[in-house]
Amino acid sequence: MEVERTIPMDKNAHDAELLENLNRMRENKMFCDFLIKVGSEEIPVHKNVVSAGSDYFKAMLSHDTKESQAGIVDIKESNPVCVKKCIDFIYTGNGSVADGNREELMLVAHMMQLQRLCDGIAVFLANDLGSGSFVSTQRIASMFNCVNLKEHCNAFALENFCSVVLSEDFKLLEDDYFRFLMKAENVKASTPDKCKALIAWIQHEPDNRAKCFEEIFKTFDFSNLSFEYMTYLVEKEPLVSNSLPCVKLLFATVTGKGGNVQAKKHSVKTGPSSNENNVIAVFDRTSKSIQCFSPERKTWTKMREITAEIMEKHVLAVVLGNDIYVLGYDGRNYRLLNYADTSATWEILADRANVGRTRAVVLDGFIYCIGGYNRHSISDILKLDPAIPKWYTLPNMPSVRCFASAVPFDQAIYVLGGTPWTGTLATVICFDIKSENWTSVTNMNNARQQLGSCIFRDKIYVIGGVRSSDTIEEYDHDTKKWKLVGSLSGKIVNPEASVALYLQT
C-alpha cells in the first residue's frame, strides 16, 4: 500500500478565501436559505454558516423549531446595525463598532453567543478607555461580567477619579459602583473631591439616592479638610446642612476630637487658645528644607528636605489636598505626596510648556499655571490634572502680560496687572474654568506689576508692586468696583518673590 504524504498548503489563506466566497454569496443572495428580520431590515444568510458560527443559531436550526420550519427568525428589540455587524463577523471574522453602539453590539453578540466577538469588544473597550467612555464601559463590563475589563475599569477609576467625576455620564454610575469608588482606600482623590462628587451624584436622583448620603459622607477622612470648605458645605449644601450627623461630624473635625465630641457646658476661664495645627511653610535655601512657623507657638520646625535640583531653581509652589506642587520657572515640575507624612518623598511630574515667571492657582481640584517670562509663553494658561498627572493647554489670555498676579475666586481665575514688556497695566481679566472663556473686569485704580494679591472674606485685595507699591486696593465682586483701602508704611516692589505656603499639619 502506497503511503500518502501531506501536501504543504497555506491553510489560513484557504480559510480566508472560503469565508470571502461565502460572504460574497451572502451579499449576492446566492443559495441563501434563511432570513433574519430585525425591525424593517431583512438579512439573507446560509443556515449552515450561521449555525457553524453561532451556538444561538445552531440551537435554533438543529431542531424542529418554528424558525427552522419557516426559514425566518424575527429578532425583536435589537439594533439592526448591531445585528448586521454580528452577521458580518460570522462570515468574515472582522468586527467594528461606532462609539454610540458599543453596549448594543455587546448585547447582540452576547445573545448570539459569539464569544470571540465579545472578547474582542472587551479588549477594544479596555484599550479605548478614557474619562469620557468610562461610565458606559464600566456598565458593559458589569452587565456581561467581563472580568478583565472590570479590573481595567477599576484601576482606571482609582487612578483618574477627578477626570471620571468631571465626565458628563458620571452621575449615571450605579449605586454599588459609586459606593466602591467613594470607599476605596487607594483612590487618588482628596476629601473635597469626594464631597463634591457625592453631592453631584446624589442631586442627579435625589429621591432615590439621598438616603445613602449620610452613610457615604461618614466614611470620609476630614482631617485635612480646610475650614473654609467645611464652612461652605454647612452654609451652601442642603444635603449637609439638613443632616445633623453630618454637621456634628464636621464640627468634631474642627475641634480636633474626631467623632467623640460630647455636649458640655462652657465655663469661662483664662488662658491662651490652642490651634497648633496650622503653620506657614517657607522654602529655605540655607537648610535646603521646608521650614514651618507656627503662629500659635511662635516656633520654627523643619518639615521636609528639598532636593538639590529644586533648590537650584526659581520656583513657585501651591498646595492641593495633601500634596505640595513645586513649579519651576524652567518648566520642570515636582510633587511632594502626603506632605504631613514623615516618609513623604518628592516625585518629578511632566514638564509644562510655559516657562519663566508664571503664576499658579488651585481651583476645583486642578492647578492652573498662567503666563510666563519669555515672549513665547506670556499669554499661556495650562491646567494640571493631578490624577493623571498631565498638563492641558487652555485658551490663551486675550492680552499679553508678564509679572502679573492671579487669584482663584468663584469658579474663575482673576489675572491682575502685569506688563506687556513696555509700560504697566491696570487691567484685570477673568477666566471662567467651566466655559473656558476670558472676559474683562473693571480696571484697578493703579497700574501694577510684580504685585501681591489674595482673597479675604469674598473680596480681592492687591498689594504693592511697581508704580503703586505703597497702596492696597479692594475689589467687590457684587459692585464690580475697586477702591483704595490703605497704604503701606514702606514700598513693597515684589510681594510674591518668596515661596511660602499655608499648611494644615
Side-chain angles (χ1 to χ4, degrees), residues 361-380:
V361 299
V362 173
L363 186 58
D364 208 26
F366 295 93
I367 296 173
Y368 294 84
C369 193
I370 302 106
Y373 190 76
N374 63 43
R375 295 179 184 272
H376 301 290
S377 65
I378 57 178
S379 62
D380 290 348

Side-chain angles (χ1 to χ4, degrees), residues 142-182:
S142 177
M143 183 183 302
F144 300 102
N145 196 28
C146 304
V147 177
N148 290 336
L149 187 58
K150 279 184 181 179
E151 294 176 354
H152 199 83
C153 287
N154 291 347
F156 181 88
L158 295 175
E159 183 70 22
N160 302 280
F161 177 89
C162 292
S163 297
V164 169
V165 300
L166 289 175
S167 67
E168 292 184 5
D169 293 337
F170 161 70
K171 298 169 187 176
L172 303 178
L173 280 177
E174 295 296 329
D175 290 23
D176 290 344
Y177 196 80
F178 181 79
R179 290 169 189 262
F180 157 72
L181 279 185
M182 290 292 105

Side-chain angles (χ1 to χ4, degrees), residues 251 257 259-265:
F251 177 76
K257 301 296 184 181
N260 301 316
V261 176
Q262 301 295 326
K264 184 180 180 180
K265 290 183 178 179

Side-chain angles (χ1 to χ4, degrees), residues 245-266:
C246 291
V247 173
K248 289 177 67 176
L249 180 61
L250 292 178
F251 177 76
T253 303
V254 173
T255 61
K257 301 296 184 181
N260 301 316
V261 176
Q262 301 295 326
K264 184 180 180 180
K265 290 183 178 179
H266 172 68

Side-chain angles (χ1 to χ4, degrees), residues 62 66 77 84 100 124 159 213 283 304 417:
S62 59
K66 65 176 183 179
E77 298 180 1
K84 286 183 177 180
F124 166 76
E159 183 70 22
F213 176 76
F283 283 39
R304 297 289 171 270

